Each structure stands twice: as C-alpha cells, then as structure tokens.
Amino acid sequence: MRSLIFTAVVLSSLTAKAFCGFYVSGAGGKLFNDASMVVLVRDGTRTVLSMQNNYRGPTEDFALVIPVPVILAKENVKTIPREAFTRIDELTSPRLVEQYTDTCPSGLGMRGVGAGGGGYGSGLGGLGMPRDLGVKVEAKFEVEEYEIVILSAQFSLGLEVWLKENKYQVPSGAAPLLQPYVQNGSKFFVAKVNARKAKFTDGHLTLSPLRFSYDSEQFSLPVRLGLVNSSGTQDLIVHIIAKDRYELANMKNVFVPTNFDVRTRTQPQFGGFYKELLDRTFKKNPNAAVTEFAWQGALPPPTEYVSSGIYGVTCDPCPPPHPVDNPLGRYLGVNLLPKIKTDEGIAAFAQAATITRLHLRLNPQNTEDLVFKVARPVHGGIPEAKTVTTEVKTNRFQGRYIMWIDGCGGGGLGGIGGGGGMFSSAGTSPLHGPSAVSTKMIDPFEQLIIADLPELDVKAVPLAKDAPRVPYTPPPQIQQTFAPPPPSPRVNLADPTVGTGIQKEQVVRIIKSNQGQLRYCYERELQRNPSLRGRVVLMFEIGAEGNVAASAIQSTTMNAPEVESCIAGRAKTWRFPKPEGGAMVKVVYPMVFVQQ
C-alpha cells in the first residue's frame, strides 16, 4: 500500500485509489485499486499518460483494462521508474514553511440497460451475437512484466465474455460500464501481469508504472471503469503538464485553502492537519476537483545534477534536488510531444509548461469521465498573493501554510544544509523527514489555525489550556540513497543596485533562491576550463508583471561567453513581485565566481 509522499509529510491514510481502468483477476479473487496517481503530458492533440497503480490482493496473474482512443503499438508503451512518480509528487505537494518574526537578512448511468442486466437477455444467442463475440485482438506484445493486448469490440457483453473466456474474472457490473466506450469506438488496453516476472516487496507485487502515448482531439481521462470495483469513496491525484493550467469541464473546481498561519505545534502533526483540511474542503464542496498546485516552470529540465539547487525550476520553497530531476522530463514522455526531440527542446517546454495538480474524491455515483479544459492563470500560496487571484498572466499557486518562529533563524536551524531541508531566502524552508510524517492529530484542527477560515466555515479557537506539550524540532537531515556530488564552486553575490518600485530585499531573496542556476552555468564551463573564475555584473529590467523583460552582461572579468550567455538566459526566467506603479525597474547585480 503506497502513501502520498508530500514535500513536508507522508499522508499514509490519504491514499489515491481510483483510476481509469479496473483490475481483473485470473484467480477470481477480489482486487481493487490503491494509491493510484496519473501524470498527463499534453500538447496539441498528443497525450502522454503515465500511471502508477499498486495492487493489493492475491498474487495470481491479473490485468489492467483501460479504454484508449486508438490502437497502441509496442513503441507507444513503456515502463518508467517509480521514482518519477515520487518526485513529481514531491515537487507539487503542499508546503509547511517557517518564517521568522525578526527582520533578517535575506453522467451516463445505465441508460438502455434493464435492472440487473436483464436487458441483455439470457445469453449471447438472445442478442444475435456471432460466436466470435465481436472482439478482435488488434495488437499483442510484451513490455517488462506486462503481457499486453489491444482489443476492439462490437459489443460490451461480448468483451466481458471474452475476458472471462480468457480466464479473467471481470468485476460484476462491468458490461454496462464498458458499453459507452464500445459505442464511441474506443479500443481496450489490457495489460496482463505475469507474477513470475514481477517484483515482490514484503510479499506484495511491485508493479512498474506504465506510460503510453496517443493522439486525440479530446483531452479526457476515463474513470468510470475504475469505480466498478470500488468499496466506497476513492481519491485520485492527476498531474497535468502542459502549456496552460487545466481544470475539469464537467465538475466543480475549487482551490485548496492556502497561505494562512498555523501554530508551530502543527509541524509534527502536519500530515493529519492537511488530511483534515482536505476532508473539510471536500465536505464543503462535494464532487469538486480541488486544485492543490499550479506552477509554471516547476518541471526540471535535463541538466547536470547540482547539489545546492534544482536548476531551471521555479519554486518557493524548493524541495531538495535529486538525480531523478535530470531525466524526469524524458521519463514522463515530454520528448514524445510534437517537434520535441532534444534535451534543449525538453528544457524549453519545461520552462514554459505549468504543472497542475488536481485532487479528486470519487464514488460509484460518479457517472462521467473526467474532461479537462484550459483555465486562467492563478496566483496563490505565495508571499505576494494574500488571496487567490486569476487576474494574472503566469501560474504560481500552491498549498502553503506558515509557522512563525521567534528570532532570526532560531531553533538550531542552521544545520540543515547539505542533504537536508533547503532554505529559501527570508527564512523560509520546507520541512522534511520522519518527524513531519505523522497523520495523527494531537490537537483539534480549529486549535491549530491562527485565524478563521471563512471559505470552510471554520472558526479558530484558542489552544486548550491542558494541551500536551509539543516541542518544536528543526527539520531533520534527509537520508540520501545516492552518492552526493563533489562540493560546488561558490557564487558570491555582492550588493545590487535596484531602481525605484521594488524593495532591494525582495530582489535579493529571488536571486538567492535561484543561485543554483548561476552555479550551474559556472560548473558546466569549469569542466572545460578548471581555472575559470572572475567577476560578472548582470544587468536586467523587471517588467510591470514582475517578469524579466531584458537581461545582459554589463561587464565581466571572466570572459567566458558560454557562462555569461547562460547567466543572462537564466535571468529571463526569474519572476519578481510586480513593481509599484507598473514602472520598469532596472537592476545591476555584481557576482563573483570562485572555486572553493
């Protein structure tokens, strides 16, 4: 059973169970989906769908049945590392951050079907169906532990019977749910798993995530079949990586409440706190899709691993970098999009793309598949956006919850550098590690929030006088499972000159949060010129929307065009608060590149 690994917490009881297919067992055992997660990469009519489903049940062979719009060939289907799903989850998960009080340096239903399926008659002969059942095997191939067939079908009952005759025990009620897909000409992706080839962990099958790509005008995700074997409510998390933010066209859409203060004692119970927040959000907004994250530039591009930052990624705050960041775009199939073949193309797409994270809570009464639509850009869960707003041009939304700590960097936080939690500027850091994992609630939800949450009709109440003592502990070190790279060369940032309209501290904070990009530009050229060092003065202009309208190198003693063009190019991806009065703000920022 897999839990959702959040940037700050593991919500083990908040499993995502639903998906677009259902499991069918060769042994007749009861099977069900658990902890499913979907990643959709979309551009034009091309969709690359990656899915992770954990199986919990008998170890006999079973299969996954998914309706797809076209016949898939072997080259369209791949397996990908499970780490890709863990990483995309970490990058988009809610943040519990610290800030300091000091000023410190910086539906279809069952139409046409009689009750109990009686409308089908007593057998195949009653429908005049030919003995071949109307099912055709369009393709057959193997991918890792999966034995895959692509089927077409003329009749839903014929498809159900075909599966049964081929020793798959179809969940009861499958035929009427298959019917609309048969009627609209869908094909059926059946990925049978050979248990002899699959990996086992603690006696349970550990399946490789599957990825396949196809072209279709409609952008949707079939989920009705995933509910046929549901024992109740199921959670589903969908990540969409595309040029725009997406919502659902056929469901209500809401944002998770964000950007509010919580007590410091929230840290060891953040898992339970966020679970309760989601529960209340769904209770207030039944059958809604909850947007938990929408952020442009959050997908790491292919690049060399940098120990002190995630090159090319915008985030606030950022989780620690990981080697899987480098191939993540290829794992998820960005290179399968039209006209994208090289790492440079993947990087350009990653810079412009938004990752949207939608959380759904489905039940058997959900009778429609998910249909996606483009949505307006949104800001929320960031310091400069006190409330959620769509009157913006870029996407920067996240679940973000703030603990205020007395003192400047107090509580012994200075020791979490290296492989542990990462600071962003202005004393903000995501929390990681075992102490932030618990889903148990020590205090009532109302006692952990500082102010009322009117969007959920929740009133804050004072902490109980007899509340147990919950000491604050700094974020622990993360256990690294990979060999860390050698120490990085240094980038020393000098005092910048900032024009009127934006505070210098804000500029310094943003530059420091992107310092890993500057170091990457330097490190890359150091491989060719180990003695390279020097002083570079970067000049750029911040536009009315906080974007960098222009950037250039004002002066340099390094005389390394590759490094300097890289720095100027990275600067154009940075985002700042909107200048006061909408004026263009000129910034001159000296920086010295030296080896440690």
Side-chain angles (χ1 to χ4, degrees), residues 29-367:
K30 282 188 172 293
L31 307 177
F32 53 94
N33 296 331
D34 199 311
S36 298
M37 184 180 293
V38 181
V39 180
L40 300 167
V41 179
R42 175 79 171 182
D43 190 24
T45 61
R46 179 70 51 81
T47 298
V48 185
L49 189 155
S50 302
M51 61 179 185
Q52 177 172 277
N53 286 284
N54 280 6
Y55 166 66
R56 186 177 64 189
T59 56
E60 290 84 359
D61 294 350
F62 67 97
L64 181 67
V65 179
I66 305 171
V68 292
V70 296
I71 298 172
L72 301 179
K74 183 175 182 178
E75 56 267 26
N76 300 125
V77 184
K78 303 290 182 182
T79 59
I80 64 176
R82 297 174 69 86
E83 290 81 5
F85 280 87
T86 300
R87 190 54 175 159
I88 203 75
D89 190 33
E90 290 174 348
L91 291 170
T92 63
S93 291
R95 270 76 164 158
L96 178 63
V97 302
E98 299 166 335
Q99 291 187 342
Y100 307 117
T101 55
D102 293 49
T103 302
C104 305
S106 313
L108 185 64
M110 303 287 285
R111 290 177 293 179
V113 181
Y120 286 121
S122 60
L124 296 179
L127 290 177
M129 187 182 294
R131 187 63 196 111
D132 66 8
L133 305 177
V135 177
K136 180 181 179 181
V137 177
E138 302 284 357
K140 185 176 181 179
F141 49 87
E142 294 186 10
V143 177
E144 300 295 337
E145 69 264 36
Y146 296 101
E147 300 172 355
I148 297 168
V149 294
I150 309 297
L151 306 176
S152 61
Q154 299 179 27
F155 311 97
S156 58
L157 183 58
L159 179 57
E160 180 179 348
V161 172
W162 188 95
L163 291 169
K164 289 181 177 180
E165 290 189 349
N166 283 271
K167 300 180 181 180
Y168 302 120
Q169 182 59 50
V170 180
S172 60
L177 291 170
L178 291 166
Q179 185 179 23
Y181 300 108
V182 172
Q183 289 177 338
N184 70 17
S186 293
K187 313 305 176 186
F188 295 89
F189 176 98
V190 181
K192 183 177 182 180
V193 174
N194 187 334
R196 294 188 299 273
K197 294 183 179 180
K199 298 178 181 179
F200 288 80
T201 303
D202 298 327
H204 296 287
L205 281 173
T206 302
L207 302 179
S208 303
L210 273 169
R211 187 196 76 195
F212 51 86
S213 59
Y214 54 87
D215 287 284
S216 177
E217 292 288 343
Q218 186 179 32
F219 186 26
S220 63
L221 184 68
V223 296
R224 282 172 289 188
L225 293 183
L227 297 169
V228 69
N229 54 342
S230 171
S231 59
T233 300
Q234 300 183 356
D235 279 29
L236 170 65
I237 292 179
V238 180
H239 291 91
I240 302 172
I241 306 175
K243 295 177 181 177
D244 300 288
R245 179 174 76 90
Y246 277 85
E247 291 182 338
L248 288 180
N250 56 342
M251 291 179 66
K252 180 180 178 180
N253 295 275
V254 298
F255 296 98
V256 68
T258 186
N259 234 16
F260 58 84
D261 298 341
V262 298
R263 300 185 188 278
T264 55
R265 59 193 291 121
T266 303
Q267 179 197 9
Q269 52 186 318
F270 184 57
F273 170 84
Y274 189 75
K275 178 183 180 299
E276 181 68 17
L277 178 65
L278 265 183
D279 287 347
R280 292 178 184 239
T281 301
F282 281 117
K283 183 177 180 180
K284 179 71 174 180
N285 305 278
N287 300 318
V290 179
T291 297
E292 295 181 291
F293 186 88
W295 202 284
Q296 180 179 336
L299 179 68
T303 184
E304 297 173 33
Y305 172 61
V306 179
S307 62
S308 59
I310 307 173
Y311 167 72
V313 175
T314 61
C315 43
D316 184 16
C318 289
H322 192 279
V324 80
D325 292 334
N326 301 352
L328 186 58
R330 285 191 175 272
Y331 284 157
L332 297 176
V334 174
N335 56 303
L336 301 179
L337 297 178
K339 301 180 180 179
I340 298 181
K341 302 299 180 185
T342 65
D343 282 354
E344 289 75 14
I346 296 175
F349 177 83
Q351 177 183 328
T354 290
I355 302 181
T356 304
R357 175 182 174 127
L358 301 176
H359 198 128
L360 298 100
R361 188 157 290 175
L362 305 175
N363 57 65
Q365 284 70 49
N366 292 100
T367 58

Side-chain angles (χ1 to χ4, degrees), residues 545-560:
E545 297 297 325
N547 60 302
V548 175
S551 66
I553 302 301
Q554 186 183 70
S555 63
T556 177
T557 62
M558 185 180 292
N559 297 319

